[in-house]
Amino acid sequence: MSPPVFLAASAALEGDRVLLDGPEGRHAATVRRLRPGERVDLTDGAGLLAECVVAAADRASLTLDVVARHREPPPAPRLVVVQALPKGDRGELAVETMTEAGVDEIVPWSAARCVTRWRPERREKALARWRGTAREAGKQARRPRFPDVADLASTEQVAARLAAASLALVLHEEADAPLSAVRPPADGEIVLVVGPEGGITGEELEALGAAGGRPTRLGPTVLRTSTAGVAAAAVLLAATGRW
């Protein structure tokens, strides 16, 4: 069984002994009930992973001895998924599965046909849920490097990301080119756009295309917006050799 993973500050992981306290420490001590001699991995979520052994445990913290460190280099190419806001809690589902798959950044997009709207008074709370989901899924997937969850983007901001990308793709059910035929770059950034339940509007498709976004078809079936991203990510991660 793989040792559990907890989040810790980068500076703390540089020493030979780490005190894991706060919410992570309480969870490790009271929920997981870890005891001296057991193995634990700590990560800063930015590429540093420390293999540890529990030296001491109390009700709210663990004292851990670091036995090894590993630094995961930044991924190449970097995979960014622009995710149109799904309905209900499907946004968190999309973030969870894409994090587990290995997506490097998730950009929430307020597309024209999104049913869900992050109004100003609830935007920060909704964004915090997505970021919290990415953090927990990153630990579950044993990722030393967690994905970034960007601020809510407009169509103009999404177009700017596409224009700056090494490869810019827009999933669209009427596209002629299949995603499996795409040859990804060896480095730089791949930006993939996933539209909402109601589809990408003609105006949006035109704007994204003008910015360099290539319409591509994922497959013969139409996936929900909350599952299209992870399916497309799997195709691209395999094509890049990261899988």
Side-chain angles (χ1 to χ4, degrees):
M1 181 177 177
S2 300
V5 177
F6 296 95
L7 188 64
S10 301
L13 300 185
E14 298 294 345
D16 293 331
R17 176 160 283 195
V18 180
L19 175 65
L20 184 67
D21 55 7
E24 294 287 282
R26 285 192 295 274
H27 182 77
T30 64
V31 178
R32 297 300 298 262
R33 299 191 179 192
L34 295 169
R35 295 295 178 259
E38 294 190 85
R39 275 273 286 110
V40 174
D41 285 349
L42 300 180
T43 180
D44 63 354
L48 177 60
L49 179 75
E51 296 180 6
C52 305
V53 174
V54 179
D58 60 27
R59 295 181 62 184
S61 66
L62 298 180
T63 300
L64 304 161
D65 289 330
V66 177
V67 297
R69 293 184 188 85
H70 308 279
R71 295 184 187 273
E72 182 180 274
R78 191 168 183 267
L79 178 57
V80 179
V81 176
V82 176
Q83 173 66 61
L85 302 180
K87 294 185 291 188
D89 60 0
R90 289 187 176 274
E92 285 83 61
L93 173 64
V95 171
E96 180 180 55
T97 54
M98 287 192 287
T99 298
E100 292 173 355
V103 169
D104 302 301
E105 183 178 354
I106 301 165
V107 181
W109 174 34
S110 183
R113 290 176 177 162
C114 286
V115 175
T116 296
R117 293 292 171 185
W118 286 2
R119 305 192 187 283
E121 65 274 12
R122 59 171 295 191
R123 181 176 300 176
E124 289 306 315
K125 185 175 181 181
L127 189 57
R129 284 200 303 272
W130 279 37
R131 287 173 173 164
T133 298
R135 182 176 61 251
E136 294 306 312
K139 292 191 291 183
Q140 174 67 33
R142 303 184 57 77
R143 288 185 58 169
R145 190 177 294 275
F146 295 175
D148 297 321
V149 178
D151 291 333
L152 182 67
S154 65
T155 299
E156 291 75 17
Q157 290 168 323
V158 172
R161 289 297 299 263
L162 293 177
S166 300
L167 174 63
L169 303 169
V170 180
L171 291 184
H172 196 272
E173 67 273 14
E174 295 180 1
D176 294 325
L179 182 62
S180 58
V182 171
R183 295 295 173 259
D187 54 18
E189 192 168 84
I190 301 171
V191 179
L192 171 76
V193 177
V194 179
E197 286 91 347
I200 298 173
T201 67
E203 293 79 5
E204 288 170 334
L205 193 61
E206 183 177 353
L208 301 179
R214 294 164 47 185
T216 55
R217 186 182 69 256
L218 185 54
T221 60
V222 178
L223 278 68
R224 289 182 182 270
T225 184
S226 53
T227 53
V230 68
V235 173
L236 291 170
L237 288 168
T240 61
R242 288 181 54 184
W243 269 26

